[in-house]
Amino acid sequence: MISVNKLNVSYKTDSGVARAITDLDMDVHEGETMGLVGESGSGKSTLGLAMMRILPKNAQILSGSIQVDGTDLMSLSTGKMRRLRGETISMVFQGAMNSLNPLMTIERQVSEPLIIHNMAQGEDALERGREVLRKVGLKSAVWKQYPHQLSGGMKQRAVIAMAIITNPKILIADEPTTGLDVVTQMAIVKLLKDTQRERNITMIFISHDLPIVTKIADRISIMYGGRLMESGTTSEIVRSPRHPYTTKLLASVPDVRGDHLISGIPGEPVSALRLPAGCLFRERCENALKECSSYNYEIGYQEKDHVAFCINTGAV
Ligand SMILES: Nc1ncnc2c1ncn2[C@@H]1O[C@H](COP(=O)(O)OP(=O)(O)OP(=O)(O)O)[C@@H](O)[C@H]1O
Ligand SMILES: [Mg+2]
């Protein structure tokens, strides 16, 4: 369904070139949920935006490809890509619930994608908006309200409604539970899971919170410093992680605000402006060997679909 091959993405910044994604390979099969996990700055949103082909102007896809159903996204005209965004692939943007238009009622806001993509107009669009609002669990009392009148969880439901109103086959949900309390996080996970099953959506669930991702994903890809560290089925990742970074993420618990990790991984993530040679994680890794400084990202462990990019996987 989605196939990312040797993708390299960078950003031009005032302090130099940031290598946001390096040599990334990823396959997402039809109807499955892929969890995309990593600390802040690991390149998760960049990958999502690249899949939507809406990277900011200072970003550059240096090489590699992203294919959806065999079509190379980079080869599509702007018009075809716009149609694909309406009909095939949709995204719940990171922080979207905090950037809803404060002057627009919820029902109007949720119907907007239909109008933008010329799929419905006027009262017809509004009616379909209400229908999808009902589906995500928002009752009629809130349809004519404004964003500030809604709780965080309700706003997140509205944002999800907005992303699925065009009936996409692929949904990228970028940090959809971040900033919500634990009970609400679980409700949003359930909503996305139910929606995914009901519509047989292929989903990419992006989060820095690995424990949450294990509750929804069929397979998980772990990123660090713009590279894939490990990927496998959820049970393989949970039961027999092969990369020390994965092990650390599994032991971490997000803090109460839910936007960063409090325990587990000492040190700071690598900077995309100055990626070190060798294994990117080695400076924070308890199992690091001398050879890790010249590691060149050959596969360190592979068993069917489970791969890890580490030369000391036996030590995990
Ligand atoms: N618009 C931009 N301009 C310059 N650099 C950027 C831009 N967006 C992201 N970056 C850099 O690219 C790298 C990857 O960022 P990205 O936002 O994709 O990470 P992320 O995994 O989504 O992080 P978070 O968990 O904080 O959302 C980081 O080093 C970041 O600083
Ligand atoms: Mg992000």
Side-chain angles (χ1 to χ4, degrees):
M1 182 88 194
I2 308 175
S3 178
V4 179
N5 291 295
K6 289 269 164 290
L7 188 69
N8 284 276
V9 184
S10 69
Y11 291 98
K12 283 205 184 88
T13 78
D14 291 342
S15 341
V17 175
R19 294 293 310 260
I21 293 183
T22 306
D23 288 344
L24 191 83
D25 287 323
M26 188 178 297
D27 281 314
V28 188
H29 309 138
E30 184 163 0
E32 79 173 353
T33 297
M34 169 64 87
L36 187 54
V37 183
E39 287 168 287
S40 188
S42 55
K44 308 179 299 294
S45 296
T46 301
L47 180 62
L49 297 175
M51 285 174 171
M52 292 282 285
R53 235 182 73 183
I54 47 172
L55 283 165
K57 280 219 163 62
N58 62 328
Q60 198 185 355
I61 296 186
L62 303 168
S63 58
S65 67
I66 302 175
Q67 296 183 344
V68 172
D69 277 341
T71 303
D72 184 351
L73 293 191
M74 315 305 161
S75 72
L76 291 180
S77 66
T78 327
K80 283 220 171 97
M81 191 60 220
R82 192 178 307 128
R83 190 157 350 123
L84 195 88
R85 275 198 294 271
E87 293 168 2
T88 306
I89 179 163
S90 180
M91 184 161 176
V92 174
F93 295 100
Q94 183 167 6
M97 67 178 209
N98 302 317
S99 48
L100 285 164
N101 184 340
L103 305 175
M104 213 188 250
T105 61
I106 295 300
E107 61 177 16
R108 206 162 269 289
Q109 211 139 169
V110 165
S111 332
E112 273 238 310
L114 291 177
I115 296 163
I116 291 169
H117 293 290
N118 264 322
M119 292 168 152
Q121 305 297 329
E123 187 54 34
D124 180 29
L126 279 178
E127 190 43 48
R128 283 174 60 184
R130 292 173 199 131
E131 200 178 300
V132 69
L133 280 168
R134 203 179 290 123
K135 276 244 154 70
V136 300
L138 290 175
K139 306 227 164 69
S140 58
V142 304
W143 296 348
K144 293 203 185 316
Q145 291 193 327
Y146 292 87
H148 74 271
Q149 295 172 289
L150 272 62
S151 68
M154 289 159 97
K155 279 192 276 192
Q156 193 57 276
R157 283 176 193 271
V159 168
I160 291 168
M162 214 168 151
I164 61 172
I165 195 167
T166 55
N167 248 327
K169 288 194 261 174
I170 300 168
L171 179 66
I172 304 169
D174 192 355
E175 301 279 2
T177 60
T178 302
L180 301 172
D181 66 76
V182 178
V183 175
T184 311
Q185 287 189 358
M186 291 326 294
I188 294 297
V189 164
K190 182 172 186 315
L191 170 65
L192 284 169
K193 209 173 187 170
D194 292 348
T195 306
Q196 184 270 331
R197 290 211 177 125
E198 200 174 299
R199 301 177 176 222
N200 194 33
I201 288 175
T202 303
M203 183 154 75
I204 300 184
F205 187 98
I206 299 178
S207 176
H208 61 278
D209 185 345
L210 179 51
I212 283 249
V213 173
T214 63
K215 298 197 190 317
I216 187 165
D218 300 302
R219 289 194 301 137
I220 295 178
S221 291
I222 311 272
M223 287 179 75
Y224 183 73
R227 279 190 182 267
L228 185 68
M229 297 284 121
E230 179 164 10
S231 117
T233 63
T234 299
S235 72
E236 282 162 346
I237 294 288
V238 171
R239 281 192 224 140
S240 48
R242 292 286 168 169
H243 199 292
Y245 183 54
T246 310
T247 314
K248 290 288 188 201
L249 285 178
L250 283 168
S252 303
V253 232
D255 77 351
V256 277
R257 282 185 303 130
D259 58 4
H260 70 275
L261 304 166
I262 42 168
S263 75
I265 315 182
E268 289 290 312
V270 281
S271 162
L273 291 166
R274 289 173 301 275
L275 291 180
C279 173
L280 296 176
F281 188 60
R282 103 188 115 88
E283 306 234 309
R284 300 168 78 191
C285 183
E286 287 165 10
N287 308 331
L289 307 170
K290 216 164 70 218
E291 299 89 289
C292 298
S293 57
S294 55
Y295 176 53
N296 207 14
Y297 283 86
E298 304 86 15
I299 291 176
Y301 171 89
Q302 180 157 35
E303 182 68 42
K304 285 187 226 148
D305 219 12
H306 186 187
V307 288
F309 292 88
C310 170
I311 46 173
N312 198 14
T313 58
V316 178

